[in-house]
Amino acid sequence: MVFKRHGMKQIGKLITMGVFFGILLITQGCKKDSGPGETVEDVQLKKLSKTWNVTSVKLDNLDQTGYDNFALTLSGTAGSTSFGYSVAGRPALGPWLSSGQWKFGAIPETQIIRDPDTGDELDMTYSVTDTQLQILFTFIGDGYQGRVSNVKGQWVFTFQ
């Protein structure tokens, strides 16, 4: 009888300790809910949002002049679907309006659409790091700034 009472006390202590440690593990292992995670678009927007200064411009793989002071500013608010851009230092003729809107394409990590839902809509492919942005697109319009000349073709803008 003494053995049974002593054995029952041990089992009770083990169960109590097991419950205690189980609760401790559960509460310590749970992270507080920080709300919904960042979307792919929000992550990419953080990388893209800044003023980028051009380091090279190519049209159909030929270096272009007149872009020494060209800068592209991309901006926007996380959670939005449309964002803004503006450019400075445009040459007399080029494939960029002075400002407009943009949104992410079907693959937000590499695609944006400049001036969506307008006559100037243009699909662009991009790659971005913390220090470099490269934008590629094929321009088939007449160009901006009043003159029409050779702006049609495959453009590659590289920025820092």
Side-chain angles (χ1 to χ4, degrees), residues 13-139:
K13 286 181 182 180
L14 288 174
I15 290 173
T16 303
M17 284 178 33
V19 169
F20 172 76
F21 283 115
I23 291 172
L24 183 65
L25 286 172
I26 289 171
T27 59
Q28 295 300 313
C30 291
K31 295 181 179 174
K32 296 199 185 291
D33 186 12
S34 60
E38 282 186 311
T39 65
V40 171
E41 289 87 351
D42 291 348
V43 170
Q44 293 304 104
L45 180 62
K46 279 184 185 178
K47 293 178 186 177
L48 290 167
S49 292
K50 70 185 241 181
T51 297
W52 296 93
N53 296 303
V54 78
T55 57
S56 96
V57 177
K58 293 184 183 255
L59 171 58
D60 294 330
N61 211 29
L62 297 173
D63 289 329
Q64 298 298 296
T65 60
Y67 286 90
D68 295 341
N69 298 314
F70 187 81
L72 170 65
T73 301
L74 298 172
S75 60
T77 303
S80 297
T81 57
S82 183
F83 313 101
Y85 76 87
S86 63
V87 298
R90 292 187 303 160
L93 179 67
W96 289 90
L97 288 167
S98 60
S99 64
Q101 300 293 310
W102 65 276
K103 69 179 185 178
F104 287 105
I107 303 171
E109 295 93 335
T110 60
Q111 297 175 344
I112 58 176
I113 302 169
R114 190 184 77 189
D115 300 309
D117 304 318
T118 72
D120 295 309
E121 181 173 310
L122 183 62
D123 292 340
M124 300 177 146
T125 301
Y126 77 94
S127 63
V128 66
T129 66
D130 290 338
T131 59
Q132 185 176 15
L133 170 64
Q134 188 170 66
I135 298 177
L136 297 86
F137 57 91
T138 299
F139 191 79

